[in-house]
Every structure is written in C-alpha cells, then in structure tokens.
Amino acid sequence: MIENKIKVLRAQNDWTQADLADQVGISRQAVISIEKYKYTPSLELAFKIAKAFGVSIDQVFHYKEEE
C-alpha cells in the first residue's frame, strides 16, 4: 500500500482539496480518492503533487507492505 501525507500537507499550506486539484490538474474527487487510499496516483502525478507542495516525493508518499 502507498500511504500519503497529502491531507497533512494541505493543512500546513492552508489548501483545500480543490486548491490541490487545481495545482496538479486533476479533479477534487481524485484528490479525495488518493487521500482515502482508494486510488494510487501514477508516478507522474505523485511527482506533480510533491512539486506542488515544494517537497520531495518521499515526503508525501511512503510504501508500506500489507500484512
């Protein structure tokens, strides 16, 4: 499973889901799905999200083996 810190990073930047969606060119619903682990973003989208926050990709996403 790919875990993420998108919700935390959005809060730190005072961004809504719509704000992030606009920054990376996806829908607000896609942001919701990623935050809730219902959708794993492509590598390209993951890099865009990290770039939008001004951090490295590993500060946003983390791989966790399922038990």
Side-chain angles (χ1 to χ4, degrees), residues 5-6 10-11 13-14 16 21 24 30 33-35 37 41-42 44-45 48-49 53 55-56 61 66-67:
K5 297 179 182 176
I6 293 174
R10 279 195 310 98
N13 287 279
D14 198 29
T16 65
V24 297
S33 294
I34 295 168
E35 286 184 357
Y37 306 117
S42 67
E44 180 180 4
L45 179 54
K48 285 181 180 180
I49 292 169
F53 287 122
V55 298
S56 65
F61 298 96
E66 295 185 36
E67 299 172 3

Side-chain angles (χ1 to χ4, degrees), residues 9 18-19 24-25 38 44 53 55 57-59 66:
L9 290 165
D19 292 334
V24 297
K38 293 183 179 183
E44 180 180 4
F53 287 122
V55 298
I57 195 168
D58 62 329
Q59 291 177 287
E66 295 185 36

Side-chain angles (χ1 to χ4, degrees), residues 1-4 34-41 61-67:
M1 167 187 274
I2 304 291
E3 295 182 336
N4 68 71
I34 295 168
E35 286 184 357
K36 292 185 175 184
Y37 306 117
K38 293 183 179 183
Y39 170 71
T40 301
F61 298 96
H62 171 74
Y63 175 74
K64 180 179 179 184
E65 289 191 34
E66 295 185 36
E67 299 172 3

